[in-house]
Amino acid sequence: MAPPLQILSTNNSNNNVVHPISIPVQNQHYNGVREVKHYKKWFPWLIPFFVVVNVVVFVVTMYVNDCPSNSVSCIARFLRRFSFQPLKENPLLGPSSLTLQKMGALDVNKVIHMHQGWRLVTCMWLHGGVFHLLANMLGILFIGIRLEQEFGFVLIGLLFVISGFGGSLLSALFLQLNISVGASGALFGLLGGMLSELITNWSMYDNKFAAFFTLVIIIVINLAIGILPHVDNFAHIGGFLTGFLLGFVFLIRPQFGWVNQRYARVDYSPTRAKPKFKKYQCVLWVLSLIILIVGLSVGLVALLRGVDANDHCSWCHYLSCVPTSKWSCHTEAAYCLSNQLGNQLNVTCSSNGKSSTYFMQDPTSSKIQQLCTQICN
C-alpha cells in the first residue's frame, strides 16, 4: 500500500483484578448503608457510542471508496460499492490508502503544509480494514466499559480523546512519510490510565502486586507487537504515555478514611482528621499535569514547525519497526509512469519495473494511482 498504511494493532486483554469494584460504604458512625459518589457505579454509554461511531465511519469510508468504480479487481464484489480493495493492496479487508487520506487519515505533509491539523483527531476514528476495526473495538469495549463504570463518561471520554491525540502527535513527529489511521492510540491510553490508576490508588487494593504485574505484562506484549512492519507503534507509545499521565490526574480516588469522615453522622468527632488524598497522590497529580501540558505543547509546536524527530533520535525508529531477515522496515510511496493510447492504459511501476495494461476509457488520476499501488506492492 502506498503510501504505506500504518496498521495499529492491539490485544483485547482484560483483567478482573486490576480495578476495585464500586462498593457501598458502611461505617459504625452512620446508620445504614449508602452509596458514596466517589465509588459509585456509572452506567457506561459513551464507550459503546464511540464504538458505534467507529463502525459507522468505517461503513461510510467503504461507501466512499467504491472499489468497483476505482479498481480492476475487488474482494466480495457482491457487496457492490462496499466491496474491499484487493488483498495485495490491503490485506485487512478495507479501503484504499487514497480513500483514507480523503476521509481524514493522518498525513503529516497535509498537517504541516496545508494546515490540516484536524487530521490529528480524525485519524483515530478511521480504520484500515475489517480486521483492524474488530481488534480495536473489542479492546475498547473490554477495557473502556470497565473504566467508564468506575469513573464516569466525562473523565473516560476525555482520557480516550486526549490519548488518541497524543498518539497521533508522536506518530506525526516520527512517521512523516506514511499515513496512519486507527483508535489504537486511544486504546493504549486506556491501558496507560489503568496502570496509573492502580499506582496512584495503590493503598486501596488487595492483590495489588498481582494486578500490577499482570497489567504490565499485557502492556509489554501489546507494545512488542508494534515492532512489526506497517504497525504504527509510535501511536501506541504516545497514546500510552498520554493516558498514563492522565490517569494520575483524572483517576485519583480519595482515601477511605476521608470518605468515612465526610459521610459520618454529625455527632461523630474523629480523633484525627484524615486528608482527602495522600501526599504521594498529590505529588503525582502535579508532576503528571505539568509533564502532560508541556509535552503536548512542545510536541505540537515542533510538528507545526516541520520538525522531524528522527533527526534528534537516530535509534528511535526501532521502536516502531525492527528489521529482520523476514521483513524490511523500509517503505516508500509508489510512483508510476502511465501511458494512455485509445482505451488502452499502460502503467509501469518506477520502483520495481513491473508493468500492466488495462482497458479503460479516460481513467481518473485516483484510479491510476490505485492501479499503481497494486502493481508496486
Side-chain angles (χ1 to χ4, degrees):
M1 190 177 295
L5 176 63
Q6 298 296 313
I7 304 304
L8 311 188
S9 67
T10 187
N11 188 312
N12 312 319
S13 302
N14 187 29
N15 189 329
N16 291 332
V17 298
V18 171
H19 291 283
I21 61 172
S22 297
I23 58 175
V25 174
Q26 185 174 16
N27 189 282
Q28 60 179 343
H29 302 292
Y30 24 96
N31 298 321
V33 179
R34 58 190 296 194
E35 185 180 45
V36 178
K37 69 176 183 178
H38 301 285
Y39 298 95
K40 75 173 185 178
K41 280 283 188 180
W42 295 77
F43 176 76
W45 64 269
L46 186 61
I47 290 297
F49 175 74
F50 282 166
V51 171
V52 171
V53 170
N54 275 273
V55 173
V56 170
V57 170
F58 181 76
V59 173
V60 172
T61 302
M62 294 308 304
Y63 179 85
V64 173
N65 186 65
D66 192 10
C67 182
S69 299
N70 297 296
S71 296
V72 175
S73 61
C74 300
I75 303 298
R77 292 190 73 93
F78 65 88
L79 296 175
R80 301 194 178 183
R81 69 181 300 149
F82 294 98
S83 57
F84 310 112
Q85 294 298 121
L87 292 178
K88 190 174 182 180
E89 180 182 352
N90 187 346
L92 299 176
L93 295 181
S96 67
S97 58
L98 288 176
T99 299
L100 291 172
Q101 284 179 307
K102 184 187 302 183
M103 293 294 293
L106 179 56
D107 185 331
V108 178
N109 181 62
K110 288 183 170 60
V111 171
I112 297 175
H113 301 293
M114 301 179 67
H115 308 293
Q116 297 181 4
W118 46 267
R119 290 180 178 271
L120 292 167
V121 177
T122 56
C123 67
M124 62 184 286
W125 305 99
L126 297 167
H127 286 83
V130 173
F131 299 135
H132 188 203
L133 178 70
L134 286 176
N136 277 348
M137 293 307 101
L138 288 175
I140 289 171
L141 282 174
F142 279 122
I143 299 171
I145 286 180
R146 182 66 173 271
L147 286 172
E148 188 178 348
Q149 285 177 330
E150 295 182 10
F151 297 98
F153 68 93
V154 175
L155 295 179
I156 301 307
L158 289 173
L159 177 64
F160 184 93
V161 174
I162 299 174
S163 295
F165 175 80
S168 298
L169 184 58
L170 191 64
S171 173
L173 287 169
F174 282 96
L175 299 176
Q176 303 198 346
L177 298 179
N178 307 326
I179 68 169
S180 181
V181 295
S184 293
L187 176 54
F188 270 80
L190 296 178
L191 283 170
M194 289 176 69
L195 181 60
S196 55
E197 189 271 329
L198 175 61
I199 294 172
T200 194
N201 300 320
W202 186 258
S203 62
M204 302 178 187
Y205 285 89
D206 292 325
N207 302 320
K208 59 190 71 176
F209 288 101
F212 177 79
F213 286 114
T214 301
L215 188 53
V216 168
I217 290 173
I218 292 171
I219 293 169
V220 169
I221 291 175
N222 278 272
L223 289 175
I225 296 174
I227 66 174
L228 297 173
H230 304 296
V231 178
D232 187 355
N233 210 29
F234 285 112
H236 295 177
I237 296 171
F240 172 78
L241 293 176
T242 303
F244 182 70
L245 294 172
L246 283 172
F248 289 118
V249 178
F250 287 164
L251 310 184
I252 183 174
R253 290 186 186 272
Q255 296 186 71
F256 285 127
W258 178 86
V259 173
N260 286 342
Q261 291 176 179
R262 183 177 178 86
Y263 289 88
R265 293 185 319 189
V266 176
D267 60 351
Y268 169 60
S269 299
T271 56
R272 183 179 179 184
K274 295 286 187 180
K276 185 174 183 179
F277 301 110
K278 291 182 177 291
K279 290 182 180 180
Y280 79 88
Q281 289 180 301
C282 298
V283 171
L284 288 173
W285 190 93
V286 172
L287 288 178
S288 298
L289 185 61
I290 293 174
I291 295 173
L292 184 67
I293 294 175
V294 172
L296 291 179
S297 300
V298 171
L300 186 59
V301 170
L303 175 63
L304 296 179
R305 290 185 176 182
V307 173
D308 186 344
N310 293 288
D311 295 336
H312 305 278
C313 182
S314 60
W315 56 269
C316 284
H317 62 279
Y318 292 116
L319 295 174
S320 187
C321 183
V322 176
T324 69
S325 58
K326 300 295 184 180
W327 64 71
S328 171
C329 295
H330 178 70
T331 57
E332 59 182 16
Y335 296 100
C336 295
L337 298 175
S338 62
N339 182 31
Q340 180 81 41
L341 183 61
N343 65 343
Q344 182 174 308
L345 174 67
N346 181 266
V347 181
T348 302
C349 179
S350 302
S351 58
N352 59 22
K354 291 183 180 180
S355 180
S356 295
T357 299
Y358 307 92
F359 293 92
M360 55 184 65
Q361 191 69 33
D362 299 324
T364 63
S365 57
S366 175
K367 191 163 190 176
I368 294 176
Q369 182 60 44
Q370 291 182 350
L371 296 173
C372 175
T373 301
Q374 293 178 30
I375 65 175
C376 285
N377 287 339

